[in-house]
Amino acid sequence: MSEDDYCLIDATRPPVADGPPYAECVLCREPTEHPESYKGITLCPACEWQEAQRTACSG
């Protein structure tokens, strides 16, 4: 079994923007690497990492 078999969380990510304008992070309001036109939850790299740590499966 691979590591991916244990976590059933959907880990789809928004597209990466080619350049500004960037979407705001929904947690800290800092610019993200995602396009402003993306409809959905966007997180900056720091908040994305913290959220991944918080929701990680502990095997």
Side-chain angles (χ1 to χ4, degrees):
M1 281 187 151
S2 74
E3 198 174 290
D4 297 331
D5 293 336
Y6 295 104
C7 290
L8 302 176
I9 298 170
D10 181 17
T12 55
R13 296 179 52 143
V16 175
D18 293 332
Y22 298 108
E24 283 186 345
C25 175
V26 297
L27 298 177
C28 69
R29 300 288 188 208
E30 291 295 319
T32 67
E33 57 189 20
H34 311 297
E36 193 174 61
S37 60
Y38 178 74
K39 303 281 189 248
I41 296 173
T42 55
L43 298 173
C44 70
C47 289
E48 189 173 315
W49 182 84
Q50 289 174 351
E51 188 68 12
Q53 292 295 313
R54 189 181 69 77
T55 61
C57 296
S58 56

